[in-house]
Amino acid sequence: MLDENLKAQLTAYMEKLTQPIELVASLDDSDKARELDALLDQIASTSERITRRDGDDARRPSFRIVRAGTDVSVGFAGIPMGHEFTSLVLALLQVGGHPVKVDGELANQVRDLEGEFVFETYMSLSCQSCPDTVQALNAMSVLNSNISHVAIDGALFQDEVEAREVMSVPTIFLNGKPFGQGRMTVEELVAKLDSGAAEREAGKIANKDAFDVLVVGGGPAGSAAAIYAARKGIRTGVAAERFGGQVLDTLSIENFISVKYTEGPQLATALEQHVREYDVDVMNLQRATKLVPASEPGGLIEVQLENGASLKSKSVILATGARWRQMGVPGEEQYRTKGVAYCPHCDGPLYKGKRVAVIGGGNSGVEAAIDLAGIVEHVTLVEFDTQMRADEVLQRKLRSLPNVDILLNAQTTEVLGDGQKATGLVYRDRGTGETHTVELAGIFVQIGLLPNTEWLKGSPVELSARGEIVIDERGQTSVPGVLAAGDATTVPYKQIVIAMGAGSTAALGAFDHLIRTSAPAAAQAA
């Protein structure tokens, strides 16, 4: 399972173990069980602190990593390679006594949770969003022995997936009942488990002094803006709904200049680490709901948050990014995560051997169709226009695949379902006006981005007809002291490197605004 180079790296990591651990394996006579058996042997050989024994879990093949003589453990059902290999390494280290990298106050919140929490997470090895959730729950189970967690490879346990109607990953069950879907951090999990956490956080935010620069959003644009502002030595804050933004949902990045290849979650982690190198007040899980401009020139701008708190600042940089655009047809919202999906890399393995559709003929849609064609029985690509807009090399590849149909000049009008899951779609032939039904198990929507600016509607900030924030060459908006950057703005090309440059520009523009106003924010707040 592990080549010599990877085994050498793992051996080096295992030198950090301070507590003995046991690999408790529950195997059967399947090929996957034999693969897992070999992997566990290799892991055990990397350290004298690691031993093996047989287990009796009903879910096979699976294994638990147990701190010897304690109730501390982490479980995996399947073989955690691919994107989950890092989760495996971290679990080995953390169960083996290596410190869990969680903020001290947050770690105490986890330790103080009362009750029994049995978590199960269905993931896929090709999902770039799943490791964050798996690692968060693993860390919590190490910090609090009343919390247990097992990460389950949905592609390997198809019977469970179908019985529990899991149609997107990651999907989390708590004590046998659905708990959540999508990427979740320790902060998000604790906030959902601890009903008083949000209220306490709102109280802390309400007592903060005013900022010189407040960045709303934590993606590439927001991160760059925060770094450039902090380097000017001014009081800087970041309020982000989820740090990393849309980058967290991006699989491979091959056009980030000077970096040949990286993946979205890795880049998001690097962005946050870089921001935290500076004196920046990062407030995560904060959704902005209203912008109140300064009442007088040079006054404080207010950003109201969903939790009832508000922040004030001499200048504000809006970097709220964008999200996947939805079709806006009947049935889409009803069957979201129940057959309607937006991440083919994450959810594709759940549809192995089934028929699916991809909506959209741009690069994202065609790439998704190509990837899915290697997993599922059949792919139908539905494009609204009379021709696909993807690069010609991608179109040639798509047309060469025997299990792909392409529907052009076709408008999706409805998602069909049986009340529990999607079963097909209806499309209208725009040439003839006729409607047709296609029976499907999954529909992957890939039709572009929508700016996260709904909260600005009705404010003085000018928006374009598409809802984008109108900015000038300095990142300035129609409101003095309010700047914007990234995919939420009228910048014509939505690219990570462009968003970073725009964030830097906006920060410099904010600093320019500040030196032309009277006093620092703290003085005005007083």
Side-chain angles (χ1 to χ4, degrees), residues 202-218:
K204 288 166 52 179
I205 289 174
N207 292 323
K208 290 182 182 291
D209 292 332
F211 295 95
D212 289 308
V213 175
L214 174 64
V215 181
V216 183

Side-chain angles (χ1 to χ4, degrees), residues 45-65:
S45 70
T46 63
S47 172
E48 294 181 353
R49 292 185 181 271
I50 305 176
T51 57
R52 283 195 59 176
R53 62 182 172 89
D54 293 333
D56 57 3
D57 288 353
R59 195 180 275 125
R60 299 167 182 258
S62 67
F63 69 101
R64 289 182 296 123
I65 306 168

